[in-house]
Amino acid sequence: MTITDPPGGHGRPAVPAAAARALARCVAVEPGKFAAAHWGRAPLLSRAAELPNADGFTDLLGPADADELLSRRGLRTPFLRIAKDGQLVPAARWTGGGGAGAEIGDQVLDERVLELYASGATLVLQGLHRTWPALIDFARDLGTALAQPLQVNAYLTPAGSQGFATHYDTHDVFVLQVDGRKHWRIHPPVLPDPLERQPWGGRADEVSATAQGPAALDVVLEPGDALYLPRGWLHSAQAQETSSLHLTVGIRALTRYAIVEELLALAAADARLRAGLPFGTDVADPDAIEPELTETVEALRDWLLRADPAAVAARLRQRAWPAARPAPIRPLAQAAALAAVAADTRLAPRPGLRWRLDPTGDDKVALRLFDRVLTLPAGCEPALRALLTGAVSRVGDLPGLDDDADRVVLARRLLREAIAVPAE
């Protein structure tokens, strides 16, 4: 992981200073040291005094903001979960109709939330990277620094309460303590690097037994503190003398097993691997299966030696890119800008947009995005690359096109497709 890669191109968005600042808010060590010593390996505690923001994380989401979400934003499931005594509270106990004009039956009822929270339940606001402006921007910047898709939840726990029993997550997390104090106990994994299909519930006895032993980290997080936990590390947390609010940033990184899955999907193209088992094979008999297993492994080995990295990368791109949406656009303002494009108009690439330019061999160029592929004349490639890397902002300066009329046509297309945005 690095935050100093050259900007843009081949699916890697530009890495602006905002991305470096977002990561610096979460870790009190240099990015290189974090990558080498902690990323996917070991927890890292960063105290508020070691981090750059004197006000901690209240600018991202404070208690008053959480109250607004719970009471004035028409919140629905699954954007809220409620847990008590280590168990999730059924949504039917705290949701209902929203009144006239909002008759849907799964809106959060603030009276019910109050009742549960006052009795010790933990509130989990989910998907805040999609609903709360400050966290939309922060998640995009941090995701750019990490080159990984993120999700952000907030945990509101009453004084003295513990929302969940000791468990592990199947993704890495940053814990950002916003308000109050929370006691964390961290234990080593019972299953290093678990996949999403390997949740902690399948190893509940091992988790419980390990949690009875000495903790690898036993710490109280104060406002402004940050904690990084790799996936698989056991943890539990209990609010102290006052209520607690913390943010959990979940990092949905792809794994080597994802490469294995895509290789297997591509292996369906190999006729030897598609062949049926011999007539009458008893699949429950190890002796009958052994020669078929040997031949299958040999065929698979031969196929893997010919595997095309470009084909694997294309399939991984289809997984990763849709998981990290680019910055929101303002449809009305974008439409107004579209109508006013001229040679002096200045544009910028949509922040966080992942893209790739590939010649198609028929005097066209394919612009691959997270959700679609656009085909344009090959002569547009220099202009596209210049704009998407940030090398050029003024429409009239776009290279490779014959005149300003062609440049304006391309600029309008990029605005309409939400690839470019008006420069600020």
Side-chain angles (χ1 to χ4, degrees):
M1 185 194 72
T2 175
I3 58 171
T4 59
D5 287 338
H10 294 291
R12 188 171 58 234
V15 182
R21 290 194 296 270
L23 180 59
R25 295 190 68 173
C26 301
V27 298
V29 297
E30 292 298 318
K33 182 176 181 180
F34 174 67
H38 297 281
W39 178 250
R41 292 179 175 85
L44 174 65
L45 173 64
S46 300
R47 291 296 190 183
E50 303 172 291
L51 297 173
N53 276 47
D55 295 330
F57 303 108
T58 54
D59 61 311
L60 300 179
L61 183 88
D65 301 324
D67 256 345
E68 179 172 335
L69 278 166
L70 291 166
S71 61
R72 293 180 177 270
R73 294 297 183 101
L75 205 64
R76 301 175 61 189
T77 57
F79 288 99
L80 178 67
R81 286 187 301 158
I82 299 181
K84 189 175 182 184
D85 300 326
Q87 301 293 325
L88 289 176
V89 179
R93 288 185 53 188
W94 43 269
T95 59
E103 289 82 1
I104 50 176
D106 65 345
Q107 291 206 55
V108 172
L109 302 178
D110 42 14
E111 303 93 343
R112 304 279 181 82
V113 172
L114 167 62
E115 177 185 352
L116 287 163
Y117 184 71
S119 65
T122 288
L123 312 180
V124 186
L125 290 164
Q126 301 195 131
L128 293 172
H129 60 294
R130 295 288 294 137
T131 60
W132 192 251
L135 287 171
I136 291 172
D137 296 340
F138 176 74
R140 183 185 68 249
D141 291 338
L142 183 57
T144 298
L146 299 172
Q148 305 290 348
L150 307 179
Q151 64 183 55
V152 183
N153 296 343
Y155 291 75
L156 300 106
T157 308
S161 294
Q162 177 176 320
F164 296 93
T166 300
H167 65 284
Y168 64 74
D169 295 319
T170 57
H171 52 267
D172 295 21
V173 300
F174 288 111
V175 176
L176 311 178
Q177 188 68 27
V178 178
D179 188 63
R181 302 166 71 246
K182 206 161 194 181
H183 180 199
W184 287 76
R185 286 177 55 83
I186 313 298
H187 293 81
V190 298
L191 177 68
D193 296 327
L195 302 172
E196 288 194 11
R197 64 180 64 179
Q198 297 171 315
W200 74 275
R203 291 171 171 78
D205 291 343
E206 294 176 79
V207 169
S208 179
T210 302
Q212 302 306 312
L217 188 62
D218 190 324
V219 63
V220 174
L221 292 189
E222 309 274 352
D225 291 346
L227 175 66
Y228 166 73
L229 290 177
R231 59 194 166 107
W233 282 73
L234 310 186
H235 54 276
S236 63
Q238 184 173 28
Q240 298 300 283
E241 64 280 355
T242 62
S243 60
S244 165
L245 166 59
H246 78 261
L247 300 171
T248 293
V249 181
I251 306 161
R252 310 305 291 262
L254 290 181
T255 66
R256 285 184 175 176
Y257 192 75
I259 297 178
V260 172
E261 290 176 322
E262 299 307 340
L263 284 169
L264 288 176
L266 290 167
D270 190 288
R272 290 176 66 189
L273 293 170
R274 295 198 309 271
L277 297 178
F279 179 80
T281 300
D282 182 357
V283 295
D285 181 359
D287 292 334
I289 288 299
E290 192 277 334
E292 295 305 315
L293 178 61
T294 300
E295 186 171 344
T296 300
V297 169
E298 180 183 345
L300 181 59
R301 183 186 299 114
D302 291 343
W303 183 87
L304 289 173
L305 291 174
R306 305 190 308 272
D308 181 7
V312 176
R315 293 185 66 91
L316 290 173
R317 181 172 66 239
Q318 293 171 6
R319 280 194 185 204
W321 284 13
R325 287 187 58 84
I329 60 165
R330 299 176 181 273
L332 302 186
Q334 189 90 348
L338 173 64
V341 173
D344 287 335
T345 301
R346 293 190 177 274
L347 302 179
R350 184 178 178 183
L353 182 72
R354 293 184 177 273
W355 56 273
R356 182 182 175 93
L357 276 173
D358 290 319
T360 64
D362 56 355
D363 203 31
K364 302 285 186 181
V365 63
L367 176 58
R368 304 185 188 281
L369 305 170
F370 73 100
D371 59 347
R372 62 200 186 282
V373 178
L374 302 182
T375 302
L376 297 102
C380 294
E381 181 175 358
L384 288 167
R385 195 174 298 280
L387 180 63
L388 291 171
T389 59
V392 170
S393 63
R394 182 177 175 272
V395 170
D397 295 332
L398 293 174
L401 299 175
D402 292 336
D403 52 38
D404 283 349
D406 289 343
R407 297 182 181 97
V408 168
V409 169
L410 177 61
R412 285 178 175 154
R413 176 78 184 277
L414 297 179
L415 283 168
R416 184 180 296 109
E417 298 284 357
I419 295 166
V421 295
E424 296 182 355

